[in-house]
Amino acid sequence: GGVEVMYDSYINKVVPVGYELTAEDMAARDSGELVFSYGAEYPEIVHVQSVFWEMDGIKYFMTQLDGALTEEELFTMAGELIAGG
């Protein structure tokens, strides 16, 4: 229906405030292998997948963390939401 749906995926390492990146962390960050976020109680790695679109001037984002849905399933869900809206 003319609505462009986009997809993004990345691996996020969530670490505690004050965490100092190791040489391995810095290499992974610099290569784009990992994205770092701060605020976790302990370091953990999370696969983040999102689909997003704009419709009628409103921006929509649907995100899963370590979810079982595939990229195609996320696109299908977005299409169902768009068609029903």
Side-chain angles (χ1 to χ4, degrees), residues 4-70:
E4 181 180 10
V5 179
M6 293 163 279
Y7 172 82
D8 187 32
S9 174
Y10 59 94
I11 305 298
N12 190 32
K13 185 171 182 179
V14 188
V15 297
V17 173
Y19 176 87
E20 293 193 28
L21 299 179
T22 65
E24 185 178 296
D25 287 338
M26 288 187 269
R29 178 199 60 200
D30 294 346
S31 73
E33 179 184 338
L34 290 176
V35 172
F36 286 82
S37 297
Y38 292 86
E41 187 175 333
Y42 53 87
E44 65 178 307
I45 295 187
V46 179
H47 182 203
V48 180
Q49 293 176 283
S50 299
V51 290
F52 44 98
W53 65 94
E54 184 173 347
M55 188 171 66
D56 299 328
I58 299 172
K59 295 180 182 183
Y60 297 87
F61 294 85
M62 187 168 48
T63 301
Q64 75 170 342
L65 305 175
D66 282 337
L69 298 174
T70 66

